[in-house]
Every structure is written in C-alpha cells, then in structure tokens.
Amino acid sequence: MPSEPAKKVEDKSAVANKDSKDNKDAANNNKDATAAKKGGKKKDDVDELSPEDLKLKGDLELMVQRVQDPSQEIQLAALDSLSNEIRSSTSSMTSVPKPLKFLRPHYTTLTDYYATLPSSSQVKKRLSDILSVLALTMGKEGARESLHYRLAGSKEPVGVWGHEYVRNLAGEVSGEYDAVQEGATATEGGDKAPSSAPKVTLDDLNAIVNEIVPFCVEHNAEYEAVDLLLEVERPEAIKQYIDENNYQRVCLYLIYCSYYVPEPTDSIILKICCELYLKVKQYPDALRVAIKLADAALINEVFAASATESDIAQRQLAFMLARQRMFHVVKPDTIEDETLKGVLANTQVSEYFLSLARDLDIVEAKTPEDIYKSHLEQRAVGAGVDSARGNLASTFVNAFVNAGFGQDKLMTEEGSKWLYKNKEHGMMSAAASLGMVLQWDVESALSQIDKFLYSQEDWVKSGALLGVGIITCGVQSEVDPAIALLAEYIDNTNGNMRIGAILGLGLAYSGTCREDVRDMILPVLEDSSASMEVMSIAGLALGLIFVGSSDGDITQGIMTCLMERTETDLASAHARFLVLGLSLLYLGKQGHAEAALEGLKTLQGPIAQYGALTLDSCAYAGTGNVLKIQQLLSICADHLEEDAASAHQGAAVLGIALIAMGEELGSEMCLRSFDHLLQYGEPAIRRAVPLALALINVSNPTRVAVIDTLSKLSHDHDHEVAMSAIMGLGLVGAGTNNARIAGLLRALATYYYKEANHLFTVRLAQGLLHLGKGTLTLNPFHSDRLLMSHVCVGGLLTILHSCMDIKNTILSKSHYLLYTLACSMSPRILLTLDEDLKELKVPVRVGQAVDVVGQAGKPKTITGFQTHTTPVLLGHGDRAELAT
C-alpha cells in the first residue's frame, strides 16, 4: 500500500496528466510521483505549505515528541500547548482544522503511547482529553472512541472543544446508550478504545448528557438537546432549561417529535410540552396540547390555572374548547361567570358568523340557480324538467349554500310552497333543510321550525325533528330544547319519526357524552321490533354523542345488537352505520380499541371484516401510523371476485386516508399508493379511492393533481366510481367557491344531464362547493393543524361510508344522512374581540404558513402575506399574525 503522502502526489499527477498540454511536464510529474512512492516523503507537498503552516506543522510534531518525554513537567507543558492549538482552531468547522489535519499521522503514535501510561497518571487524563477530540476525525467508525477517551479524561467542560465536538459526542452517547441497554460491552465496535477504560454505565452517560444539554440550550441548539434526551429516554430533563426565550422552539419541536415515536412515548412528550407551556403561563398553547391528548383532567387543570391570570385568558380557552366541541369537559356548574358559560356553550357563534356575513356583504340569500348557472351549461332544449329528484337536489343545495345565514328563498319566505314540491321522503329532507339554514341560532330558529312539528304529514314532522337537532348542533343551551322536543318521539310507532328524533339527538349532542341522552337511545338497540335502519341510526347517533369516549355500555349494546341480528339484516346497506357508530366510540384511542376489535372478529359474514377495519382505522385516525397503513395496503392487495366479499377492502382504503390525513408526508405517500390501487384494485377499491382522496383533502383544493384525478374518475365507466369522484370533488372544494372545481362541475352537469343519479350527485357537489357562500369549512384540522375535531371526523365518515353504497343510501331514501355534515361545518374566520366580547377591528397579516421547526432564532412563520383588518377568512394552509 502506498503511504498517505504518496497518495496525494499521485492525485496531483493525475490532474496534471489531464490538464497539461505539455507531455514533458506530465512525464516529470509522473517521475515525481514515483519518487514520492519510493521515498515515502512529500517534498512537493511540503513546498506548497505556507510558512505559517510549516511552522505550525513543525510545532505540532515537536509537541507530539515532547508528550512522550520522560519528564512529566515537559509532558504537561506539551499537552497544554496542544490543547491551546486545537481549541483555537475548532471554533469554526467549515473545514477540517489544520491542527487536526497535521496530527492525523501521529494519532496512532499517541494512542499507542496512551496505552503504556499508568491509570493514575495526570498526563494520561490530559492526553485522553486530546485524543477524545482527535477521534472526532480520526477514530474508527462505530468504535465511539471520542466518548471512551472523554470518560477517561480530566472531565473538563464539554463546550471548550467547540460545537462540532459536542454534536459528535452526543451521537456517540446515543449509540453507547443503545449498546448498554442491549448488554453490549463498553469497548465493543472498535479496537482503538482505551483498554484501561472502565465499563460504561448509565450513570456515566447521564453525567455527559447533563453537560451536553445545557451547552446546546445556551447556544440555540435546543433541538439537538431534545434529540439527545429522547435517545437516552429522559425527555423530562429538558424542563429545567426552559424559559421565556426558548420555550416556543422547544415546544414546537417536541410536538413534531411526538408524531414519529410510538405510543405511549408520544403522550409522555406532549405532557412535558403542556407542562412547559404552563411553566411560562402560555395557557392557550397548553390547552391546545391538552386537547390533543384528550386528557380531561389536564384540560381542567389548564382551565383552572388560567383563572389566576385573568378573565380574558379563561374566555380565550373557553372559545377554544367550544371550537373543539368539548362542552362536557369543563362542568358548567363549576363556573360562576355567566358570560364564560355562554362562551363555553358556543352560543355566540351565530352572532359572530352573521357579523362576518355583513362585513363581506353576503347576507342576501342565494338560490340553487345562482349556484347551478344553468345558462352556462350547454344542454338540449327541454332538458330542464321540474322533477322530484331535481327539487330534492335543490333542497340540499339551498341548505348547504345558505347554512347558518338564517334566511333563504325556498323555505323561510312567507307563503313558500317549496316543501310540497317534494314527495314523501323528499319532504323529510326539505323540512330538515330549514334547520341547516337556521343553524346555531337556537333562540329564534325554534319558533320557525315549530310549525312543522304539528304537520299532518309524518314525513314533514320527522324532517322537523331532524331539523331541531341540526339547529342545536354545535351549540349548547341550559333549557335543552332538543331533549324537550325530541325525546317523546324516540319510541314512536312510525319508523321515520324515530329516525328523525334519534338522529336529531345525535347531531344536537354530538361530542357531549351526555349520559341522560344515552339512556334514552340505548334501549332502541334492544328493541326487536325496530327495523335495521332505526337500529343503525341509533348506533350512529350514540357514536356521534360519545365520539372518542370508549364508552363500555354503548360498546356492549352495539355488540349485542350485532350478534342478535340475522345475516340478512347485517347484509343491509344500513348495517354499516351500526359498526361505524361503534368505531366512533374509539376514535383516536389507539390501543384501547383492542377488546372491541376482538369482539367484532367473532361475528359472521362480510360485516365482521368491514367493522374490524373501520374500528381499527378509527382508533388510529390522524396518527400517521405507518404499520397500520401497511396492514391496510396488504388487505387491498388481495384480489376477490365477488363484490360482497370485497366490501371490506373499501373500508381499508378509507382507513388508509383516515390514518394518514393528520400528517403531511404520510398524505403525500398515500396519494402515490392510491394511484396504484386505481390501476390494479378491485371495483370496491376503485369506488373507495375517490372518497379517500377527498378525506385527505377536505376543503383543500390546493392540490391540483388530486382535482385532476377526481375529474378523470368522474367520467369512469363504472357509475359508482364516477359518482364517488363527483362527491369527492364537492368535498375537496367544500366551502371554498373554487372556480376550477365549479367549472368542472358545470361541465359534468352538461355531460350527465340525461343521467338522473349522476346529475343529483353533481348538484350535491355544487352545493358543497359553495357551502355557506364560501365561509364554512369541513376540514377537521384546526389550530394550525395541531388539533383534529372528533365530532367533525364523525360527520365526514358518515357521509363517506354512505357514498360507498350510494345507490342504497343517499340515492335511495336515506339522503337525510347528508345532514350529518352539520357536525363538520365550522366558520373559517379569524375574529378579534375586546374584553366585553364585542368585535374589535385589528390589522393582521395573513399568508402561507412556513414550517419553522428546528430553526434557530425567531424565523418568519408566514410568507407572501397581505395585511387585512379582522374579521378575515382563512383558507387551507393560511396562518395569521397580528400586524401591530
């Protein structure tokens, strides 16, 4: 093997051969290289060094010789000189420092001499410090020599050798910690570790960690400190180093770290994060983390702690809890302030929403024709026939577009006969649509819908019962109008009235975990005379009310109902809502769903697999769990010939989207997987893919590729795939008024004008696109995408599971299920209030959110911003900050 100097001269000769035009010079260079090989000296290289470098090289070689001097005094002086030279060069690591470069040939000499020194020698400890630094660039990979020499050294402060040394040492501590945990020996992995070093213990490693962490925090490298503490399983140690200057960077990094660790470590990290926020009295941020943990005790602790700060802080927390629909966590009887009770019950949402409408000048009601813009559709003469199906579509479009505005041109106008332009089940949805128009305005709305409760038509009355639930959805009232009006109809002999009352209660009390409502509905599951549709709606309503609660009584009731029903009943289109109700109970509960999952596996028929996959995916909703996604993808890979046997594969596709939607990278990866499923999947899978794409991108039309895919699938030869894609377009653009999607839907209305079912779904999609005239959103993620609203997810999943068998649900007589979207609708507004909760005009900057995780200092969190005055609308991916 040629020596190191010989290698460098060979490299130079190679460059000379390539670039020089003079053959004689090239030959001379080759001769020089040969001479260097034989002599082992690098005369040319030495000549190229500057006088300063030559002097440094000579001084270092002299120091190495003096380190091996018999006199301890000379040795210590030489070691001091070496230390000073190395320390002065390690302040910047843009390139290898010259002392480390020149000492490379002497590393072996120093390590060999080190091994001969007695353990008690002061020289050995000082030399160990220097070797620890030299091992940074010269140590054998995987040997962790730098750490071992550090442990045997003089225990000088770790920061004196520079940041790069500290970073390298942190990596070796992490590797050694794993080795110690696995029972490996301290010197395993290399033959250059100091032979006299004692066996490394956890106490040794923790001592070094306690030096590295404060150094990193002081030098704005908090994320490196957090990484090291996570590696050595001591994340709680970061708390003692946090103050007002660095808590934001640390907490943000901890939150994002929680996405990539297994349970229960993710919960431990989030609890630490919450404690840090409480330490610096950032109560809104602490509450956000407590809500993400779904820890009622922690939420109450944060809420109580905020009371010591000010009434304003507590009201802010109450608004946040109301947005998440967590009305039940803080008990109203523990609050004396009536204003605070009103905020927590979300009673002001209608007032603030209508104020925004006035600011934007969109109060005037819109008609379905304003949305369809039929004059732009190129269709045959006489195609616009006034049909019952067309009127039903207009009913839903009118409800979606004017949702929450309190007025429309079909139902609220005096003398309107629109209700009677619908037939039978259509009248139920028409009456219920009044509830959506009047949503949130409990005080004045009930008097308007009350007249329908006394109608002679059972369909109208059942629709009015459902409408009462829609009005009070997302708003709590001390008088409980929903229970007062609906409770008596739960045991009615008319099945449609039972459905209206039960689903109305489910919407009115969604997310509240009201035990008195559970006791009213639970007996329906035991009623053998009830139809499968009534039972399924009862299970769904209970799932919406107790979403994410793991309620044992409801679990047992639904499981018993499933076991007692016949195979024919379980094969019906509505049975899926029974297992969906069960699955919603365990939304986001991860491992807590295991017992219920085992119970579902005991069932017979396709519903068992369908239910198990739905439950498992709900349990891990929004977690981005890669292992669960892989399991679901493997299920989709099976090729099953019968549609009935492959129904569960559709649930698996939806499950993939449900798990991945909370994490940006996972969502992108899923889009690629869905492309493969469209090409090679069974019909049940292809029908579910458009719905899965919609779930990942609800109210988010920024992904052009997704819109293009759905547009292509909307012309698919399989009618159910096409209708799923059309509904998907509506959900992707929900509440955005996106012009591109609006154009696509108008084109589809022209294309399918002879297909009644397709045209109906196009109209529904158009209504969703213009939801709340562009002021509402269906996206379950809010608070900078940190929090997922369980109630919102419950409403979306109901619609998506309905669309998986759209012919027997929405296109049949169960179109009333579309009103479960009332659970998912929220105003997408930023509002600023004064101390008296009156609107306050404040300038804010609104722009695209920028990922600043792990960045030092105070980087800009938004880009491409514009300055507006509140209230303002926030789109997907937007972030706002005060301009004052």
Side-chain angles (χ1 to χ4, degrees):
M1 288 289 291
S3 67
E4 187 69 25
K7 285 184 182 178
K8 292 194 175 182
V9 176
E10 284 175 349
D11 290 342
K12 288 174 184 172
S13 67
V15 174
N17 279 323
K18 183 177 179 181
D19 296 334
S20 175
K21 295 179 182 178
D22 193 327
N23 291 333
K24 185 176 179 181
D25 289 344
N28 289 337
N29 284 333
N30 287 331
K31 286 179 183 178
D32 291 340
T34 307
K37 276 186 184 180
K38 291 179 180 177
K41 295 292 181 183
K42 190 171 59 169
K43 182 180 177 183
D44 289 348
D45 193 41
V46 172
D47 289 343
E48 289 180 6
L49 292 175
S50 67
E52 293 83 0
D53 289 349
L54 278 172
K55 182 177 182 303
L56 177 61
K57 188 171 184 292
D59 290 345
L60 290 171
E61 289 174 350
L62 180 61
M63 292 174 200
V64 171
Q65 292 174 8
R66 288 185 174 177
V67 166
Q68 302 171 65
D69 195 276
S71 170
Q72 183 173 345
E73 196 174 320
I74 294 174
Q75 287 178 317
L76 291 174
L79 289 169
D80 282 340
S81 300
L82 270 176
S83 296
N84 292 334
E85 288 291 349
I86 294 171
R87 287 177 187 177
S88 63
S89 66
T90 51
S91 59
S92 172
M93 290 295 288
T94 52
S95 61
V96 178
K98 289 180 179 177
L100 298 188
K101 182 179 177 182
F102 295 148
L103 285 172
R104 179 182 287 275
H106 306 289
Y107 181 67
T108 305
T109 304
L110 291 173
T111 53
D112 290 343
Y113 180 67
Y114 174 90
T116 65
L117 292 171
S119 301
S120 59
S121 169
Q122 183 66 21
V123 173
K124 183 163 189 170
K125 290 186 177 181
R126 297 291 300 281
L127 181 56
S128 184
D129 290 337
I130 291 172
L131 287 173
S132 179
V133 181
L134 295 181
L136 179 65
T137 59
M138 305 169 200
K140 185 176 179 181
E141 187 176 353
R144 299 189 286 276
E145 295 177 32
S146 188
L147 171 63
H148 294 147
Y149 284 120
R150 169 74 192 176
L151 291 171
S154 61
K155 305 295 187 292
E156 281 187 301
V158 72
V160 299
W161 300 106
H163 196 97
E164 195 63 31
Y165 171 73
V166 174
R167 184 178 295 166
N168 177 72
L169 194 60
E172 294 194 5
V173 167
S174 173
E176 190 69 26
Y177 180 83
D178 292 339
V180 171
Q181 291 289 79
E182 294 167 7
T185 60
T187 57
E188 185 179 358
D191 55 1
K192 287 296 181 185
S195 58
S196 59
K199 183 177 180 180
V200 178
T201 64
L202 291 180
D203 290 339
D204 295 331
L205 297 177
N206 285 328
I208 295 181
V209 170
N210 292 338
E211 289 187 73
I212 294 175
V213 171
F215 175 84
C216 290
V217 173
E218 287 170 14
H219 292 81
N220 295 325
E222 295 91 352
Y223 59 93
E224 292 183 15
V226 171
D227 283 341
L228 178 59
L229 290 172
L230 288 174
E231 290 289 346
V232 299
E233 299 176 350
R234 289 178 52 202
E236 69 285 347
I238 196 67
K239 289 189 282 189
Q240 59 187 303
Y241 305 108
I242 300 307
D243 56 28
E244 286 81 0
N245 298 319
N246 57 22
Y247 77 90
Q248 286 181 317
R249 293 192 295 274
V250 172
C251 290
L252 184 62
Y253 191 72
L254 281 170
I255 289 170
Y256 275 77
C257 284
S258 69
Y259 297 150
Y260 301 101
V261 295
E263 52 177 334
T265 310
D266 54 349
S267 298
I268 293 171
I269 291 174
L270 289 174
K271 282 181 180 176
I272 292 169
C273 195
C274 187
E275 290 173 21
L276 293 177
Y277 280 130
L278 285 174
K279 179 181 177 181
V280 294
K281 297 185 178 180
Q282 295 296 316
Y283 300 113
D285 288 321
L287 184 67
R288 291 169 69 222
V289 179
I291 291 173
K292 185 170 179 64
L293 283 164
D295 187 332
L298 192 56
I299 290 171
N300 276 288
E301 180 187 338
V302 174
F303 195 78
S306 67
T308 61
E309 187 72 13
S310 68
D311 291 340
I312 300 174
Q314 202 164 36
R315 287 175 184 177
Q316 176 64 56
L317 302 196
F319 274 114
M320 294 169 67
L321 286 171
R323 171 65 179 85
Q324 185 70 4
R325 308 262 176 110
M326 299 186 83
F327 308 114
H328 63 290
V329 178
V330 179
K331 301 300 180 186
D333 52 8
T334 62
I335 302 171
E336 296 180 0
D337 184 355
E338 290 299 323
T339 304
L340 187 61
K341 282 185 180 179
V343 172
L344 196 58
N346 210 21
T347 53
Q348 289 107 331
V349 64
S350 180
E351 176 190 340
Y352 296 143
F353 181 66
L354 292 175
S355 173
L356 169 76
R358 286 189 292 271
D359 273 12
L360 298 178
D361 195 21
I362 54 173
V363 175
E364 186 182 352
K366 285 194 173 186
T367 63
E369 184 54 39
D370 294 333
I371 305 304
Y372 300 159
K373 296 184 180 176
S374 300
H375 61 282
L376 298 177
E377 297 175 7
Q378 299 175 1
R379 61 169 62 184
V381 177
V385 179
D386 187 19
S387 65
R389 177 55 63 90
N391 289 344
L392 181 61
S394 295
T395 294
F396 283 108
V397 172
N398 178 68
F400 291 147
V401 173
N402 297 298
F405 283 86
Q407 57 178 319
D408 69 334
K409 294 185 178 179
L410 297 187
M411 294 296 297
T412 57
E413 285 192 344
E414 285 293 328
S416 172
K417 300 294 183 184
W418 180 260
L419 182 65
Y420 301 100
K421 288 188 177 181
N422 294 274
K423 294 181 180 178
E424 297 182 349
H425 52 84
M427 296 172 74
M428 178 180 179
S429 288
S433 72
L434 182 60
M436 185 160 279
V437 173
L438 302 171
Q439 191 174 8
W440 305 319
D441 187 9
V442 178
E443 291 183 4
S444 62
L446 292 175
S447 60
Q448 295 187 55
I449 204 169
D450 185 60
K451 59 186 178 184
F452 293 125
L453 291 172
Y454 301 100
S455 171
Q456 298 301 313
E457 287 278 355
D458 288 345
W459 290 106
V460 175
K461 192 180 288 189
S462 57
L465 295 172
L466 179 56
V468 170
I470 297 171
I471 289 170
T472 54
C473 181
V475 179
Q476 296 299 294
S477 172
E478 290 183 355
V479 297
D480 275 341
I483 287 182
L485 294 170
L486 305 183
E488 62 183 285
Y489 293 97
I490 292 176
D491 298 320
N492 197 288
T493 54
N494 185 296
N496 293 312
M497 285 197 195
R498 297 185 79 178
I499 289 171
I502 293 169
L503 187 56
L505 286 170
L507 296 179
Y509 297 101
S510 53
T512 60
C513 297
R514 287 276 295 264
E515 294 182 4
D516 53 342
V517 182
R518 176 190 64 192
D519 295 339
M520 292 177 189
I521 301 177
L522 205 52
V524 177
L525 296 176
E526 302 168 3
D527 185 0
S528 58
S529 64
S531 67
M532 193 63 199
E533 184 177 3
V534 172
M535 282 192 170
S536 298
I537 296 302
L540 177 62
L542 288 168
L544 289 171
I545 296 168
F546 286 82
V547 62
S549 67
S550 308
D551 189 276
D553 292 340
I554 299 174
T555 301
Q556 186 176 353
I558 293 177
M559 290 298 301
T560 303
C561 180
L562 286 168
M563 290 175 181
E564 291 177 352
R565 304 304 287 191
T566 64
E567 284 191 25
T568 306
D569 288 337
L570 295 180
S572 72
H574 291 90
R576 69 184 69 234
F577 300 115
L578 203 54
V579 294
L580 178 59
L582 176 63
S583 302
L584 289 177
L585 297 175
Y586 294 92
L587 190 68
K589 287 297 181 182
Q590 301 190 29
H592 292 88
E594 291 298 328
L597 198 59
E598 291 302 317
L600 280 174
K601 290 178 181 176
T602 62
L603 298 176
Q604 300 295 321
I607 195 69
Q609 281 182 297
Y610 188 96
L613 291 173
T614 304
L615 175 59
D616 205 19
S617 55
C618 280
Y620 289 88
T623 61
N625 189 297
V626 178
L627 296 177
K628 290 294 177 184
I629 291 176
Q630 287 176 342
Q631 289 176 15
L632 295 172
L633 282 171
S634 67
I635 290 170
C636 295
D638 297 334
H639 289 282
L640 305 172
E641 294 181 2
E642 295 182 13
D643 282 356
S646 63
H648 67 281
Q649 290 183 316
V653 175
L654 269 187
I656 293 168
L658 184 60
I659 294 171
M661 69 178 178
E663 201 257 307
E664 199 67 30
L665 184 60
S667 300
E668 292 288 348
M669 296 296 288
C670 282
L671 296 180
R672 298 171 61 186
S673 299
F674 291 151
D675 284 339
H676 294 298
L677 293 178
L678 283 172
Q679 293 178 40
Y680 306 111
E682 298 299 312
I685 293 175
R686 297 187 75 250
R687 290 166 190 164
V689 167
L691 303 173
L693 288 171
L695 181 57
I696 287 181
N697 300 280
V698 172
S699 295
N700 174 23
T702 57
R703 282 179 171 156
V704 178
V706 171
I707 297 175
D708 287 343
T709 302
L710 291 174
S711 178
K712 291 174 186 173
L713 292 174
S714 64
H715 295 83
D716 198 88
H717 60 86
D718 185 327
H719 293 324
E720 290 192 45
V721 173
M723 286 188 283
S724 293
I726 294 167
M727 287 297 292
L729 280 171
L731 290 170
V732 168
T736 64
N737 292 347
N738 185 273
R740 187 161 187 266
I741 296 178
L744 291 173
L745 291 174
R746 278 197 300 273
L748 286 168
T750 303
Y751 185 76
Y752 285 120
Y753 78 94
K754 287 185 178 179
E755 300 284 344
N757 287 342
H758 288 74
L759 186 58
F760 182 71
T761 54
V762 171
R763 296 311 188 199
L764 291 178
Q766 286 178 310
L768 289 172
L769 178 65
H770 297 277
L771 188 69
K773 302 174 193 171
T775 59
L776 300 177
T777 181
L778 298 180
N779 198 312
F781 290 93
H782 62 99
S783 192
D784 211 8
R785 290 190 63 79
L786 175 67
L787 302 179
M788 181 181 77
S789 170
H790 288 183
V791 176
C792 180
V793 172
L796 285 172
L797 287 180
T798 304
I799 297 301
L800 294 172
H801 281 269
S802 301
C803 291
M804 287 173 65
D805 190 7
I806 195 168
K807 286 184 177 179
N808 295 313
T809 53
I810 292 173
L811 297 180
S812 183
K813 295 182 179 181
S814 300
H815 36 73
Y816 58 82
L817 288 166
L818 287 166
Y819 290 121
T820 55
L821 282 178
C823 295
S824 307
M825 288 160 43
S826 295
R828 54 186 186 95
I829 59 175
L830 170 66
L831 197 66
T832 47
L833 308 172
D834 62 14
E835 295 177 1
D836 300 320
L837 302 185
K838 302 297 181 185
E839 280 193 58
L840 192 65
K841 303 291 184 183
V842 175
V844 291
R845 288 188 287 265
V846 180
Q848 279 295 112
V850 177
D851 186 2
V852 295
V853 180
Q855 294 185 23
K858 294 184 178 179
K860 298 290 185 184
T861 56
I862 58 175
T863 184
F865 63 83
Q866 293 181 329
T867 303
H868 301 279
T869 302
T870 56
V872 294
L873 286 176
L874 294 180
H876 186 277
D878 282 350
R879 183 182 288 162
E881 59 183 31
L882 293 175
T884 53

